Amino acid sequence: MFQANLTSVKIFFFLGFSHYPKVEVIVFVLCLLMYLITLLGNIILISITILDSHLHKPMYFFLSNLSFLDIWYTSSAFTPMLANFVSGKNTISFLGCAAQMYFSLAMGSTECVLLSMMAYDRYVAICNPLRYPIIMNKSVCVQIAAGSWVTGYLTTLVETVSVLQLSLCGHNIINHFACEILAVLKLVCVDTSMVELIMLVITILLLPMTMFLICISYAFILSNILRISSVDGQSKAFSTCTAHLTVVVLFYGTALSMYLKPSAVDSQEIDKFIALVYGGLTPMLNPIIYSLRNKEVKAAVKRLLIRNPFYTALISALNNIGASTLI
């Protein structure tokens, strides 16, 4: 059987959901909506945290990083798929496939580390409130964020290079809608045990280990909250953690089901739908969850709207109309 190195392949073809034409149209519409909402929601959230000085805090600095990460991840995964559906080509070049595989995996890896660092931030804020400004100063926050990005990018570089060095058996048809690393690995006909071992070690470091750190942080947080005598104090402490915990459950639930599922459970169609949730639904819900569950973000939106001259003029006009109606 003819074998070719991955780097010698000029073009790849995506199967996507071509076996189900009606489903493919529905998936396209849903993905387009999720992508647009993700862009809009995360751009608005980043803008609010930059424009409102009340949100210049470590929590919102990390949240801005998360929003930027979600925009980049969704764009790398969904933009080629949406373009291919419109053009009807369902193809991608080798360099495009390698870039998509690298950046989408790097964004997911970075988010694992970043979410665990956000849990640590909540731990310091609730368990050491007096020392919080000292511990989580600007320099430390920048170092933590930079460390998350570097860790995600370096670990992904190791995985991507390991896969791209393998040989194919003349196949260049990817049974997926994107160059997802597990889907590309299925094209390989040589022994992949070493690559799978590398991926397993990195996955364990990035998923269960970071999840363990999050659990430890929230165990200390819960213990501290239960010692608060005031009901209002407990409610406020819980409210600051609820949004982050919701995002953690959504992200890790889909990530674990994709990358650490038993080998006996191997269905490409299920993997595709999990990838849609992992790559589209979670980034779309992140800004919504943080906005709806966060009083500070709501207050910041109101302040920004009130400072807007158009909004102020509109409110004044409405008040005048109301007053004249009463007269």
Side-chain angles (χ1 to χ4, degrees), residues 32 77 133:
L32 180 61

Side-chain angles (χ1 to χ4, degrees), residues 196-247:
E196 289 176 356
L197 178 62
I198 292 171
M199 291 178 62
L200 179 63
V201 171
I202 293 175
T203 302
I204 290 173
L205 289 174
L206 291 176
L207 284 174
M209 287 298 292
T210 55
M211 214 173 151
F212 178 65
L213 293 174
I214 291 171
C215 290
I216 290 177
S217 297
Y218 276 101
F220 281 109
I221 289 171
L222 182 60
S223 174
N224 191 272
I225 289 174
L226 294 176
R227 288 201 297 266
I228 300 175
S229 56
S230 168
V231 177
D232 291 336
Q234 287 185 346
S235 177
K236 185 178 179 181
F238 272 121
S239 67
T240 61
C241 301
T242 305
H244 181 249
L245 272 176
T246 306
V247 170

